[in-house]
Amino acid sequence: MGKYTIVQARALSEAVFEMWIHAPQVARHAKAGQFCIIHADGAGERVPLTISGTNGDNIRIAFMAVGTTTKLLATLKTGDELRDVAGPLGMPSDIAEGGETVVIVGGGVGVACTPILAQAAKDAGNYVIGIIGARNRDLLIFEDDMRAICNELYVTTDDGSYGIKGFASGPLKELCESGRKIDKVWIIGPGMMMKVTSEVTRPFGIRTYVSLNPVMVDGTGMCGSCRVTVGGEMKFACVDGPEFDAHEVDWNDLMTRQRMYLSEEKQSMEYHEEHHVCRCRKVE
């Protein structure tokens, strides 16, 4: 087996893909909340992806094929090899040793980050409530994983095709308003989803974490491209995060920075689509 061999690759939905990768040095040290950087072929960009799970010497990642490099990753199959997998990077999640009730909220492809976090919280003796959501049933991922781990699980779809109709913020608001003791909340998903959903917990003073995904290059704090503003101070998502206090994040700054290279990304995609024949896997 090669150093970074893809042990298993499959499509979870129309545009979301899962990979198990043989990466012993990452798997043996990875903790919930951390990420790795994938370099597929030595020619393209290095992509930061949250570690979604570990099993022996293997790590799991999940991603949406939306850009040039993630679309390239989506064409790789079981047995293919990656050029580099660097990690684990970033700070682990702030998980208490027992006695807490925590709520873990995932939206869209952000749900991929929830099983490893839920398992770590459960293993530490905490009561775990999960809330996962997607636009529709076909885009919902890792429900079985979360149902097996969580003490309670709420599932939402925007269109009502499965579970509770509406956004993940709905069940979270009901839990907060119920008077139940909630010690911590994690919210992982698109920037706007995290911004809006984190406002649900603010009036209740509940410690709330979000996993930020700014533009990132080296992942070790040297380049400064992943800087974010938290509590009025500059932080690097790669070494200070990626998890931060949701109520301290400057969301406008984050989302402005995420749009900095949209024109370059568009040019890259246009070139890719013109010269590349799609070999993406289909949903099994």
Side-chain angles (χ1 to χ4, degrees), residues 12-75:
L12 299 177
S13 69
E14 189 70 22
V16 179
F17 299 84
E18 175 194 56
M19 280 185 183
W20 282 96
I21 303 166
H22 183 72
Q25 87 287 1
V26 182
R28 294 169 190 171
H29 302 284
K31 295 181 180 179
Q34 294 183 299
F35 65 97
C36 62
I37 289 185
I38 305 291
H39 200 189
D41 60 3
E45 64 183 338
R46 302 166 74 245
V47 181
L49 295 167
T50 301
I51 298 168
S52 177
T54 62
N55 184 11
D57 287 343
N58 303 323
I59 63 169
R60 177 172 67 182
I61 61 169
F63 59 92
M64 180 174 287
V66 293
T68 302
T69 303
T70 48
K71 287 194 173 184
L72 168 64
L73 282 173
T75 69

Side-chain angles (χ1 to χ4, degrees), residues 145-167:
D145 295 59
M146 288 295 283
R147 198 168 292 283
I149 299 168
C150 296
N151 298 98
E152 300 176 37
L153 180 67
Y154 300 85
V155 180
T156 70
T157 51
D158 297 1
D159 64 358
S161 55
Y162 184 67
I164 302 167
K165 183 176 182 180
F167 304 125

Side-chain angles (χ1 to χ4, degrees), residues 64-197:
M64 180 174 287
V66 293
T68 302
T69 303
T70 48
K71 287 194 173 184
L72 168 64
L73 282 173
T75 69
L76 301 180
K77 299 175 175 59
T78 300
D80 288 342
E81 293 186 2
L82 301 169
R83 167 98 177 215
D84 294 302
V85 179
L89 302 170
M91 299 295 291
S93 300
D94 180 22
I95 298 172
E97 288 295 328
E100 291 192 339
T101 296
V102 302
V103 181
I104 299 171
V105 185
V109 73
V111 174
C113 308
T114 60
I116 188 172
L117 176 56
Q119 188 67 65
K122 187 75 172 292
D123 290 345
N126 298 295
Y127 189 89
V128 181
I129 303 172
I131 304 173
I132 58 174
R135 291 200 305 272
N136 56 58
R137 183 171 187 170
D138 291 339
L139 296 177
L140 190 66
I141 60 175
F142 294 131
E143 178 189 358
D144 291 343
D145 295 59
M146 288 295 283
R147 198 168 292 283
I149 299 168
C150 296
N151 298 98
E152 300 176 37
L153 180 67
Y154 300 85
V155 180
T156 70
T157 51
D158 297 1
D159 64 358
S161 55
Y162 184 67
I164 302 167
K165 183 176 182 180
F167 304 125
S169 57
L172 178 60
K173 184 178 181 181
E174 291 182 5
L175 286 168
C176 292
E177 292 178 342
S178 70
R180 293 179 61 177
K181 174 179 173 288
I182 298 175
D183 297 286
K184 292 175 183 172
V185 172
W186 277 268
I187 304 169
I188 309 169
M192 184 56 70
M193 174 265 184
M194 292 191 291
K195 175 184 178 181
V196 172
T197 307

Side-chain angles (χ1 to χ4, degrees), residues 195 214 226-230 233-235 249-260:
K195 175 184 178 181
C226 69
R227 60 187 180 274
V228 294
T229 304
V230 181
E233 299 180 357
M234 185 182 71
K235 303 286 185 179
V249 173
D250 185 332
W251 292 102
N252 292 333
D253 177 63
L254 172 70
M255 288 184 276
T256 297
R257 293 188 59 78
Q258 287 177 327
R259 295 191 293 267
M260 285 179 63

